[in-house]
Amino acid sequence: MYLNPIISTHQIQKTMPNHCKLITDTFEIQNEHKVYDFNKCLKFIDYHGKQHYGQSFKINIIDIPTIYKLIIYMIKDQNMALKERIDLSKGILLSGPIGCGKTSIMHLIRPFASPLSDYKIKTCRELSFEFAKNGFDAINKYTLKQNCQSRLPGYCFDDLGAEQQIKHFGNDCNVMAEVLISRYEQFVENNSITHLTSNLSASEIEMLYGNRLRSRMRNMFNGISFNINSNDKR
């Protein structure tokens, strides 16, 4: 799979088609390969963003380089990934200011992923509430393979740091640290892929989750960030 090179923002505004409702509208087949048109990819995201989040949804020019990297990752464009220093065998840690659109973009780029690379999105707060209700059984379903599985299902854990460190029958547990360390072991063993979104800095992650997890996260994720000046979209 290939992605046509990024073009200037002026060209993007001029050349974006009227609509791209279907993922098949974003690429053509050339020599038995999918060749994606980045401008059509943007229009697909714009169209579905408006459908899901309202007509006020828009792609800001400042966010386009971030979206470009995410699409490169999702379509597994090896040549462009090499140029952008993206390791396709790792997951994504998408960071950026509060309200910049991390969650929405991870929803909107899912259709670009192949079935083998698909992922579900789960908020870290929801997972922590599940732990409070069900204990470690809540963690197991995100960290243990079923007998029929060769690796863990893909997950994007949304808004790392928003969850609280809570107790279940008197047991303290840093829930997301447990989940991520366990999934790291599966990443090493069978390349199980995990994605994260967070507005935390690297030092804040280390403070909340410890140096052990922070070290593993360096091996587990590609760091992709929104610009610090990206607007709050809420």
Side-chain angles (χ1 to χ4, degrees):
M1 299 183 186
Y2 305 96
L3 184 67
N4 287 338
I6 193 168
I7 59 179
S8 73
T9 54
H10 177 69
Q11 287 175 300
I12 287 170
Q13 290 173 323
K14 281 191 169 185
T15 61
M16 283 176 71
N18 291 330
H19 64 270
C20 284
K21 295 182 180 180
L22 304 175
I23 195 68
T24 51
D25 294 331
T26 64
F27 64 82
E28 296 179 352
I29 303 295
Q30 298 180 12
N31 298 323
E32 300 183 352
H33 292 284
K34 292 179 181 178
V35 179
Y36 286 82
D37 185 313
F38 181 59
N39 302 300
K40 292 180 180 179
C41 295
L42 287 177
K43 197 59 182 178
F44 175 89
I45 292 170
D46 181 71
Y47 174 82
H48 287 279
K50 286 178 167 58
Q51 296 298 307
H52 287 89
Y53 303 108
Q55 292 302 306
S56 62
F57 177 89
K58 65 177 182 178
I59 296 173
N60 292 331
I61 295 297
I62 198 172
D63 298 332
I64 286 176
T66 301
I67 296 172
Y68 184 67
K69 292 178 182 179
L70 292 171
I71 292 176
I72 286 170
Y73 177 89
M74 288 297 158
I75 67 173
K76 305 302 182 189
D77 185 332
Q78 295 182 358
N79 291 332
M80 295 308 300
L82 185 62
K83 291 180 181 179
E84 295 289 342
R85 297 183 179 180
I86 297 171
D87 187 337
L88 298 178
S89 68
K90 297 181 179 183
I92 291 169
L93 169 53
L94 182 61
S95 60
I98 294 173
C100 69
K102 298 182 292 293
T103 303
S104 59
I105 198 63
M106 290 304 291
H107 279 282
L108 293 169
I109 64 172
R110 273 189 68 196
F112 293 97
S114 69
L116 290 176
S117 301
D118 194 18
Y119 54 90
K120 298 177 182 179
I121 297 177
K122 186 78 175 179
T123 71
C124 296
R125 281 177 58 83
E126 287 175 336
L127 202 158
S128 291
F129 291 144
E130 288 181 8
F131 174 80
K133 182 178 180 180
N134 301 315
F136 285 92
D137 286 343
I139 293 179
N140 290 342
K141 69 178 182 179
Y142 302 104
T143 60
L144 298 178
K145 296 195 289 34
Q146 301 298 317
N147 290 334
C148 60
Q149 294 175 325
S150 61
R151 63 178 185 172
L152 293 175
Y155 266 96
C156 174
F157 296 109
D158 185 39
D159 208 4
L160 181 70
E163 80 286 355
Q164 297 181 2
Q165 191 169 336
I166 56 180
K167 292 184 178 182
H168 177 74
F169 296 119
N171 293 321
D172 285 320
C173 178
N174 193 325
V175 176
M176 288 311 304
E178 291 293 328
V179 169
L180 292 174
I181 287 174
S182 295
R183 287 186 69 93
Y184 172 79
E185 293 169 356
Q186 292 295 314
F187 166 72
V188 172
E189 181 179 327
N190 52 52
N191 200 33
S192 296
I193 296 297
T194 306
H195 307 303
L196 288 176
T197 74
S198 183
N199 64 333
L200 298 176
S201 66
S203 59
E204 288 171 330
I205 289 174
E206 185 168 333
M207 180 178 67
L208 287 174
Y209 301 99
N211 183 60
R212 179 168 172 249
L213 177 59
R214 175 62 187 137
S215 175
R216 283 156 176 75
M217 287 174 66
R218 292 189 188 98
N219 296 326
M220 194 176 177
F221 296 107
N222 294 284
I224 298 179
S225 302
F226 278 92
N227 191 290
I228 59 172
N229 296 315
S230 184
N231 294 334
D232 190 323
K233 300 176 179 63
R234 291 181 294 185

